[in-house]
Amino acid sequence: MKLKIQFLVIFIPALVLGQSISGSINDSITNEKLQLANITFLKVFGGTNSNLNGEYSLNLKGHLKDSIKVTYVGYKSKYIKLNQFTESKNYNLDIKLLPQENKLEEVIIAQNKVDYNKDYILSEKKEGNINSFYLIGDEVAYLMKNERKELGRIKSIKLYFRNNTKANFIAKYRVKIYSYNKTENIPDYNLLSEDIIISPKNKTYQYVLDLKDKKIPFLEDGVCVGLELVDENNTSKKGDKIGPGLRLTYGEEIEQTWNNYRNRGWYMPHNLDRTKTKVANLMIGLTVLMKE
């Protein structure tokens, strides 16, 4: 009897632990490891990201009928079906992503030939004051319209962070800037060729990000500014309270804010005020350089 009990004590943990895939995420051409690439399940909200060494680990328990989507800025997304794995084994899987062509290259080249020397401040809507807190992997994007319908260049972004008094994990934020697809009414191509990671404090204040040297175009239809919460070392845990949060307002009647989880897909949250006549939008300020 004693031998059987000892055997079970050893064998059961082996079954519990053997339920994951891990490895690195790499550039398919240079084999460079990609930091903070997103990995998300397609049927449920959940996933992870690669760390600062480009490495990841993902628990497969209960997900073998699902697929994962792997994404990174400037690369084509990759989809992997999980029914090829089993829950009783650990797998090593290095994932290679293919660089994506820049579909806005002609616009960016044309923009670089113009002398932009006039500051235009796109005023934020300040009516209402809503604290909104998110989870690691959540992204919020807001459309900054271009009322002049002229090409410009982004000089700086003003972000409004909110203190989360209950926070036990302080996130970093990845800043993204997208073109706007007015046909599908969603953010479209990321205009950045590199990650911009900021480390805001967990307090209520305004954070100004200088982007003048990045030469990011301000397109004729405007741009969507995205903020994604990231955990560089995958040390946050389920149930953590994340700080800092963001400020939303009820200053507009048209919804111009989208949510996304680890690049799973854009959707509008449809947050209405009590009168159900105004919607909550992310508060963003933008300074743009344009021609006189």
Side-chain angles (χ1 to χ4, degrees):
M1 178 64 72
K2 184 178 295 185
L3 289 176
K4 291 183 179 179
I5 293 175
Q6 290 175 341
F7 176 78
L8 289 174
V9 169
I10 296 171
F11 183 69
I12 290 175
L15 287 175
V16 173
L17 292 175
Q19 300 174 343
S20 68
I21 55 173
S22 60
S24 62
I25 301 180
N26 308 74
D27 182 302
S28 63
I29 299 174
T30 66
N31 208 37
E32 175 189 0
K33 292 186 177 181
L34 303 178
Q35 301 178 348
L36 301 179
N38 271 314
I39 306 169
T40 182
F41 297 110
L42 294 182
K43 293 183 179 180
V44 298
F45 281 91
T48 188
N49 56 261
S50 58
N51 61 21
L52 295 181
N53 295 319
E55 299 167 345
Y56 77 95
S57 180
L58 185 67
N59 193 329
L60 297 180
K61 185 176 181 180
H63 297 293
L64 294 187
K65 294 182 180 180
D66 206 339
S67 297
I68 56 173
K69 178 181 180 182
V70 185
T71 59
Y72 189 76
V73 58
Y75 289 78
K76 294 181 179 179
S77 300
K78 188 163 190 174
Y79 298 85
I80 300 172
K81 292 183 178 180
L82 299 180
N83 59 8
Q84 60 185 297
F85 307 110
T86 69
E87 290 187 351
S88 59
K89 184 178 177 181
N90 289 325
Y91 293 86
N92 181 267
L93 179 66
D94 292 336
I95 301 172
K96 298 184 182 296
L97 298 183
L98 187 67
Q100 191 171 37
E101 294 181 6
N102 187 352
K103 296 187 178 182
L104 293 169
E105 186 174 356
E106 292 182 6
V107 175
I108 295 173
I109 292 174
Q111 183 245 27
N112 287 336
K113 296 178 181 179
V114 179
D115 183 21
Y116 298 105
N117 49 27
K118 177 69 174 179
D119 280 8
Y120 284 90
I121 298 177
L122 280 68
S123 60
E124 326 67 59
K125 303 296 183 180
K126 297 184 179 180
E127 180 183 336
N129 190 6
I130 306 161
N131 296 336
S132 188
F133 303 110
Y134 300 91
L135 300 176
I136 298 297
D138 284 339
E139 181 178 0
V140 188
Y142 175 74
L143 172 61
M144 303 294 299
K145 293 182 177 179
N146 185 349
E147 302 295 346
R148 290 169 59 93
K149 296 296 181 181
E150 296 177 5
L151 197 63
R153 180 177 293 164
I154 297 174
K155 181 179 181 180
S156 64
I157 299 175
K158 185 185 292 185
L159 308 172
Y160 294 80
F161 289 103
R162 312 297 289 180
N163 178 37
N164 185 352
T165 58
K166 299 179 180 179
N168 61 343
F169 184 88
I170 308 303
K172 293 188 178 182
Y173 278 77
R174 174 160 37 195
V175 179
K176 300 180 184 180
I177 301 176
Y178 301 93
S179 63
Y180 171 57
N181 186 330
K182 60 183 178 181
T183 302
E184 298 184 21
N185 189 34
I186 56 172
D188 205 350
Y189 300 110
N190 194 334
L191 302 177
L192 299 176
S193 58
E194 59 181 316
D195 267 351
I196 297 178
I197 308 293
I198 61 175
S199 303
K201 299 176 182 178
N202 185 35
K203 67 178 188 178
T204 299
Y205 74 117
Q206 299 174 15
Y207 184 111
V208 177
L209 179 62
D210 186 356
L211 296 172
K212 185 177 180 180
D213 294 338
K214 301 293 183 182
K215 297 184 178 180
I216 305 165
F218 184 59
L219 304 177
E220 293 182 5
D221 291 323
V223 298
C224 299
V225 178
L227 296 171
E228 178 191 6
L229 286 79
V230 297
D231 174 5
E232 292 181 323
N233 297 303
N234 289 320
T235 56
S236 61
K237 304 179 296 297
K238 184 177 180 180
D240 279 349
K241 306 296 182 183
I242 312 297
L246 298 170
R247 178 179 175 183
L248 277 69
T249 72
Y250 284 122
E252 297 159 304
E253 296 181 359
I254 300 175
E255 191 167 22
Q256 296 177 188
T257 297
W258 296 265
N259 288 1
N260 195 353
Y261 178 76
R262 297 194 184 279
N263 291 328
R264 198 167 176 267
W266 293 106
Y267 66 94
M268 284 186 164
H270 303 309
N271 293 323
L272 299 174
D273 67 358
R274 293 180 180 178
T275 66
K276 296 186 178 180
T277 60
K278 293 184 178 181
V279 293
N281 279 313
L282 181 64
M283 189 170 175
I284 294 283
L286 199 67
T287 300
V288 177
L289 290 170
M290 303 191 84
K291 294 185 294 184
E292 291 279 1

PDB file of all heavy atoms in Angstrom, residues 1 26 35 37 60 68-69 75 96 104 127 143 187 200 206 214 220 266 268 274 276:
ATOM      1  N   MET A   1       0.828  -1.202   0.000  1.00  0.00           N
ATOM      2  CA  MET A   1       0.000   0.000   0.000  1.00  0.00           C
ATOM      3  C   MET A   1       0.860   1.250   0.000  1.00  0.00           C
ATOM      4  O   MET A   1       0.589   2.233  -0.663  1.00  0.00           O
ATOM      5  CB  MET A   1      -0.937  -0.020   1.211  1.00  0.00           C
ATOM      6  CG  MET A   1      -1.814   1.239   1.331  1.00  0.00           C
ATOM      7  SD  MET A   1      -2.960   1.397  -0.048  1.00  0.00           S
ATOM      8  CE  MET A   1      -4.104   0.081   0.371  1.00  0.00           C
ATOM      9  N   ASN A  26      10.374  34.974 -32.935  1.00  0.00           N
ATOM     10  CA  ASN A  26      11.513  35.487 -33.688  1.00  0.00           C
ATOM     11  C   ASN A  26      11.109  36.073 -35.028  1.00  0.00           C
ATOM     12  O   ASN A  26      10.084  35.708 -35.609  1.00  0.00           O
ATOM     13  CB  ASN A  26      12.525  34.357 -33.947  1.00  0.00           C
ATOM     14  CG  ASN A  26      12.925  33.614 -32.697  1.00  0.00           C
ATOM     15  OD1 ASN A  26      12.142  32.820 -32.176  1.00  0.00           O
ATOM     16  ND2 ASN A  26      14.109  33.862 -32.206  1.00  0.00           N
ATOM     17  N   GLN A  35      10.456  41.246 -28.603  1.00  0.00           N
ATOM     18  CA  GLN A  35       9.974  41.537 -27.252  1.00  0.00           C
ATOM     19  C   GLN A  35       8.503  41.964 -27.267  1.00  0.00           C
ATOM     20  O   GLN A  35       8.067  42.684 -28.154  1.00  0.00           O
ATOM     21  CB  GLN A  35      10.793  42.675 -26.626  1.00  0.00           C
ATOM     22  CG  GLN A  35      12.267  42.401 -26.517  1.00  0.00           C
ATOM     23  CD  GLN A  35      13.012  43.597 -25.933  1.00  0.00           C
ATOM     24  OE1 GLN A  35      12.472  44.693 -25.813  1.00  0.00           O
ATOM     25  NE2 GLN A  35      14.258  43.386 -25.564  1.00  0.00           N
ATOM     26  N   ALA A  37       5.713  40.557 -27.922  1.00  0.00           N
ATOM     27  CA  ALA A  37       4.752  40.090 -28.923  1.00  0.00           C
ATOM     28  C   ALA A  37       3.542  39.514 -28.197  1.00  0.00           C
ATOM     29  O   ALA A  37       3.674  38.892 -27.139  1.00  0.00           O
ATOM     30  CB  ALA A  37       5.388  39.022 -29.813  1.00  0.00           C
ATOM     31  N   LEU A  60      -1.914  25.448 -21.651  1.00  0.00           N
ATOM     32  CA  LEU A  60      -2.876  24.925 -22.621  1.00  0.00           C
ATOM     33  C   LEU A  60      -4.116  24.301 -21.987  1.00  0.00           C
ATOM     34  O   LEU A  60      -5.047  23.926 -22.702  1.00  0.00           O
ATOM     35  CB  LEU A  60      -2.206  23.862 -23.499  1.00  0.00           C
ATOM     36  CG  LEU A  60      -1.049  24.313 -24.387  1.00  0.00           C
ATOM     37  CD1 LEU A  60      -0.530  23.126 -25.180  1.00  0.00           C
ATOM     38  CD2 LEU A  60      -1.482  25.428 -25.306  1.00  0.00           C
ATOM     39  N   ILE A  68      -4.515  30.041 -31.289  1.00  0.00           N
ATOM     40  CA  ILE A  68      -3.898  31.263 -30.787  1.00  0.00           C
ATOM     41  C   ILE A  68      -3.507  32.155 -31.964  1.00  0.00           C
ATOM     42  O   ILE A  68      -3.242  31.686 -33.069  1.00  0.00           O
ATOM     43  CB  ILE A  68      -2.662  30.987 -29.910  1.00  0.00           C
ATOM     44  CG1 ILE A  68      -1.625  30.139 -30.670  1.00  0.00           C
ATOM     45  CG2 ILE A  68      -3.058  30.346 -28.599  1.00  0.00           C
ATOM     46  CD1 ILE A  68      -0.308  29.979 -29.920  1.00  0.00           C
ATOM     47  N   LYS A  69      -3.492  33.445 -31.695  1.00  0.00           N
ATOM     48  CA  LYS A  69      -3.064  34.443 -32.664  1.00  0.00           C
ATOM     49  C   LYS A  69      -1.822  35.127 -32.099  1.00  0.00           C
ATOM     50  O   LYS A  69      -1.818  35.586 -30.964  1.00  0.00           O
ATOM     51  CB  LYS A  69      -4.174  35.471 -32.891  1.00  0.00           C
ATOM     52  CG  LYS A  69      -3.822  36.590 -33.863  1.00  0.00           C
ATOM     53  CD  LYS A  69      -4.997  37.566 -33.981  1.00  0.00           C
ATOM     54  CE  LYS A  69      -4.676  38.700 -34.952  1.00  0.00           C
ATOM     55  NZ  LYS A  69      -5.800  39.679 -35.038  1.00  0.00           N
ATOM     56  N   TYR A  75       4.735  43.129 -38.310  1.00  0.00           N
ATOM     57  CA  TYR A  75       4.822  41.744 -38.765  1.00  0.00           C
ATOM     58  C   TYR A  75       3.428  41.188 -39.071  1.00  0.00           C
ATOM     59  O   TYR A  75       2.431  41.640 -38.508  1.00  0.00           O
ATOM     60  CB  TYR A  75       5.489  40.864 -37.704  1.00  0.00           C
ATOM     61  CG  TYR A  75       6.968  41.118 -37.557  1.00  0.00           C
ATOM     62  CD1 TYR A  75       7.439  42.225 -36.847  1.00  0.00           C
ATOM     63  CD2 TYR A  75       7.902  40.271 -38.140  1.00  0.00           C
ATOM     64  CE1 TYR A  75       8.797  42.477 -36.709  1.00  0.00           C
ATOM     65  CE2 TYR A  75       9.270  40.508 -38.004  1.00  0.00           C
ATOM     66  CZ  TYR A  75       9.708  41.614 -37.293  1.00  0.00           C
ATOM     67  OH  TYR A  75      11.044  41.856 -37.169  1.00  0.00           O
ATOM     68  N   LYS A  96       8.028  31.925 -35.552  1.00  0.00           N
ATOM     69  CA  LYS A  96       8.678  32.888 -36.438  1.00  0.00           C
ATOM     70  C   LYS A  96       7.620  33.719 -37.171  1.00  0.00           C
ATOM     71  O   LYS A  96       6.683  33.172 -37.742  1.00  0.00           O
ATOM     72  CB  LYS A  96       9.583  32.165 -37.439  1.00  0.00           C
ATOM     73  CG  LYS A  96      10.728  31.394 -36.771  1.00  0.00           C
ATOM     74  CD  LYS A  96      11.644  30.774 -37.784  1.00  0.00           C
ATOM     75  CE  LYS A  96      12.757  29.977 -37.105  1.00  0.00           C
ATOM     76  NZ  LYS A  96      13.639  30.851 -36.310  1.00  0.00           N
ATOM     77  N   LEU A 104       1.720  52.221 -46.099  1.00  0.00           N
ATOM     78  CA  LEU A 104       1.645  53.680 -46.085  1.00  0.00           C
ATOM     79  C   LEU A 104       2.993  54.314 -46.419  1.00  0.00           C
ATOM     80  O   LEU A 104       3.203  55.495 -46.180  1.00  0.00           O
ATOM     81  CB  LEU A 104       1.172  54.157 -44.707  1.00  0.00           C
ATOM     82  CG  LEU A 104      -0.270  53.789 -44.366  1.00  0.00           C
ATOM     83  CD1 LEU A 104      -0.544  54.058 -42.902  1.00  0.00           C
ATOM     84  CD2 LEU A 104      -1.247  54.554 -45.225  1.00  0.00           C
ATOM     85  N   GLU A 127     -15.594  67.444 -20.700  1.00  0.00           N
ATOM     86  CA  GLU A 127     -16.835  67.270 -19.954  1.00  0.00           C
ATOM     87  C   GLU A 127     -16.884  65.864 -19.360  1.00  0.00           C
ATOM     88  O   GLU A 127     -16.706  64.870 -20.058  1.00  0.00           O
ATOM     89  CB  GLU A 127     -18.041  67.480 -20.870  1.00  0.00           C
ATOM     90  CG  GLU A 127     -19.381  67.307 -20.181  1.00  0.00           C
ATOM     91  CD  GLU A 127     -20.536  67.458 -21.163  1.00  0.00           C
ATOM     92  OE1 GLU A 127     -20.348  68.120 -22.195  1.00  0.00           O
ATOM     93  OE2 GLU A 127     -21.602  66.906 -20.900  1.00  0.00           O
ATOM     94  N   LEU A 143      -9.963  58.014 -31.783  1.00  0.00           N
ATOM     95  CA  LEU A 143      -9.787  58.679 -33.075  1.00  0.00           C
ATOM     96  C   LEU A 143      -9.622  60.176 -32.902  1.00  0.00           C
ATOM     97  O   LEU A 143     -10.514  60.860 -32.389  1.00  0.00           O
ATOM     98  CB  LEU A 143     -10.985  58.397 -33.983  1.00  0.00           C
ATOM     99  CG  LEU A 143     -11.029  59.193 -35.295  1.00  0.00           C
ATOM    100  CD1 LEU A 143      -9.818  58.889 -36.167  1.00  0.00           C
ATOM    101  CD2 LEU A 143     -12.333  58.911 -36.049  1.00  0.00           C
ATOM    102  N   PRO A 187      -9.542  51.302 -36.082  1.00  0.00           N
ATOM    103  CA  PRO A 187      -8.124  51.574 -36.312  1.00  0.00           C
ATOM    104  C   PRO A 187      -7.567  50.568 -37.307  1.00  0.00           C
ATOM    105  O   PRO A 187      -7.986  49.409 -37.340  1.00  0.00           O
ATOM    106  CB  PRO A 187      -7.505  51.383 -34.918  1.00  0.00           C
ATOM    107  CG  PRO A 187      -8.638  51.611 -33.969  1.00  0.00           C
ATOM    108  CD  PRO A 187      -9.850  51.052 -34.651  1.00  0.00           C
ATOM    109  N   PRO A 200       4.330  55.255 -16.888  1.00  0.00           N
ATOM    110  CA  PRO A 200       3.635  56.304 -16.124  1.00  0.00           C
ATOM    111  C   PRO A 200       3.569  55.962 -14.644  1.00  0.00           C
ATOM    112  O   PRO A 200       3.605  54.799 -14.248  1.00  0.00           O
ATOM    113  CB  PRO A 200       2.243  56.321 -16.751  1.00  0.00           C
ATOM    114  CG  PRO A 200       2.054  54.942 -17.279  1.00  0.00           C
ATOM    115  CD  PRO A 200       3.407  54.487 -17.735  1.00  0.00           C
ATOM    116  N   GLN A 206      -1.061  64.555 -15.959  1.00  0.00           N
ATOM    117  CA  GLN A 206      -0.974  64.618 -17.407  1.00  0.00           C
ATOM    118  C   GLN A 206       0.440  64.249 -17.854  1.00  0.00           C
ATOM    119  O   GLN A 206       1.424  64.761 -17.316  1.00  0.00           O
ATOM    120  CB  GLN A 206      -1.330  66.020 -17.906  1.00  0.00           C
ATOM    121  CG  GLN A 206      -2.738  66.448 -17.548  1.00  0.00           C
ATOM    122  CD  GLN A 206      -3.019  67.883 -17.921  1.00  0.00           C
ATOM    123  OE1 GLN A 206      -2.277  68.493 -18.689  1.00  0.00           O
ATOM    124  NE2 GLN A 206      -4.102  68.442 -17.381  1.00  0.00           N
ATOM    125  N   LYS A 214      10.118  61.445 -34.342  1.00  0.00           N
ATOM    126  CA  LYS A 214       9.659  60.176 -34.929  1.00  0.00           C
ATOM    127  C   LYS A 214       9.097  60.350 -36.339  1.00  0.00           C
ATOM    128  O   LYS A 214       8.938  59.377 -37.077  1.00  0.00           O
ATOM    129  CB  LYS A 214       8.585  59.547 -34.032  1.00  0.00           C
ATOM    130  CG  LYS A 214       9.039  59.247 -32.610  1.00  0.00           C
ATOM    131  CD  LYS A 214      10.088  58.165 -32.570  1.00  0.00           C
ATOM    132  CE  LYS A 214      10.459  57.828 -31.132  1.00  0.00           C
ATOM    133  NZ  LYS A 214      11.515  56.809 -31.065  1.00  0.00           N
ATOM    134  N   GLU A 220      -4.965  62.516 -43.470  1.00  0.00           N
ATOM    135  CA  GLU A 220      -6.113  63.358 -43.813  1.00  0.00           C
ATOM    136  C   GLU A 220      -7.392  62.936 -43.104  1.00  0.00           C
ATOM    137  O   GLU A 220      -8.273  63.756 -42.857  1.00  0.00           O
ATOM    138  CB  GLU A 220      -6.315  63.366 -45.331  1.00  0.00           C
ATOM    139  CG  GLU A 220      -5.181  64.050 -46.077  1.00  0.00           C
ATOM    140  CD  GLU A 220      -5.408  64.098 -47.573  1.00  0.00           C
ATOM    141  OE1 GLU A 220      -6.505  63.680 -48.022  1.00  0.00           O
ATOM    142  OE2 GLU A 220      -4.505  64.540 -48.309  1.00  0.00           O
ATOM    143  N   TRP A 266     -10.848  44.649 -32.770  1.00  0.00           N
ATOM    144  CA  TRP A 266     -11.389  45.899 -32.242  1.00  0.00           C
ATOM    145  C   TRP A 266     -12.897  45.812 -32.032  1.00  0.00           C
ATOM    146  O   TRP A 266     -13.606  45.204 -32.840  1.00  0.00           O
ATOM    147  CB  TRP A 266     -11.093  47.050 -33.194  1.00  0.00           C
ATOM    148  CG  TRP A 266      -9.644  47.394 -33.311  1.00  0.00           C
ATOM    149  CD1 TRP A 266      -8.814  47.109 -34.368  1.00  0.00           C
ATOM    150  CD2 TRP A 266      -8.829  48.067 -32.348  1.00  0.00           C
ATOM    151  NE1 TRP A 266      -7.543  47.566 -34.109  1.00  0.00           N
ATOM    152  CE2 TRP A 266      -7.530  48.165 -32.882  1.00  0.00           C
ATOM    153  CE3 TRP A 266      -9.081  48.602 -31.083  1.00  0.00           C
ATOM    154  CZ2 TRP A 266      -6.474  48.771 -32.204  1.00  0.00           C
ATOM    155  CZ3 TRP A 266      -8.041  49.215 -30.401  1.00  0.00           C
ATOM    156  CH2 TRP A 266      -6.761  49.300 -30.965  1.00  0.00           C
ATOM    157  N   MET A 268     -16.258  48.376 -30.067  1.00  0.00           N
ATOM    158  CA  MET A 268     -16.638  49.562 -29.301  1.00  0.00           C
ATOM    159  C   MET A 268     -17.374  49.134 -28.036  1.00  0.00           C
ATOM    160  O   MET A 268     -18.286  48.311 -28.093  1.00  0.00           O
ATOM    161  CB  MET A 268     -17.515  50.488 -30.129  1.00  0.00           C
ATOM    162  CG  MET A 268     -16.740  51.288 -31.168  1.00  0.00           C
ATOM    163  SD  MET A 268     -17.771  52.497 -32.015  1.00  0.00           S
ATOM    164  CE  MET A 268     -16.511  53.540 -32.759  1.00  0.00           C
ATOM    165  N   ARG A 274     -25.951  58.450 -18.103  1.00  0.00           N
ATOM    166  CA  ARG A 274     -27.263  58.123 -17.544  1.00  0.00           C
ATOM    167  C   ARG A 274     -28.419  58.524 -18.448  1.00  0.00           C
ATOM    168  O   ARG A 274     -29.484  57.912 -18.430  1.00  0.00           O
ATOM    169  CB  ARG A 274     -27.408  58.787 -16.172  1.00  0.00           C
ATOM    170  CG  ARG A 274     -26.454  58.212 -15.115  1.00  0.00           C
ATOM    171  CD  ARG A 274     -26.635  58.897 -13.778  1.00  0.00           C
ATOM    172  NE  ARG A 274     -25.716  58.350 -12.779  1.00  0.00           N
ATOM    173  CZ  ARG A 274     -25.633  58.792 -11.533  1.00  0.00           C
ATOM    174  NH1 ARG A 274     -26.401  59.804 -11.129  1.00  0.00           N
ATOM    175  NH2 ARG A 274     -24.789  58.239 -10.693  1.00  0.00           N
ATOM    176  N   LYS A 276     -28.244  58.387 -21.608  1.00  0.00           N
ATOM    177  CA  LYS A 276     -28.071  57.543 -22.801  1.00  0.00           C
ATOM    178  C   LYS A 276     -28.016  58.361 -24.091  1.00  0.00           C
ATOM    179  O   LYS A 276     -28.429  57.911 -25.153  1.00  0.00           O
ATOM    180  CB  LYS A 276     -29.181  56.484 -22.877  1.00  0.00           C
ATOM    181  CG  LYS A 276     -29.140  55.504 -21.713  1.00  0.00           C
ATOM    182  CD  LYS A 276     -30.164  54.386 -21.889  1.00  0.00           C
ATOM    183  CE  LYS A 276     -30.072  53.400 -20.735  1.00  0.00           C
ATOM    184  NZ  LYS A 276     -31.030  52.291 -20.852  1.00  0.00           N
TER     185      LYS A 276
END
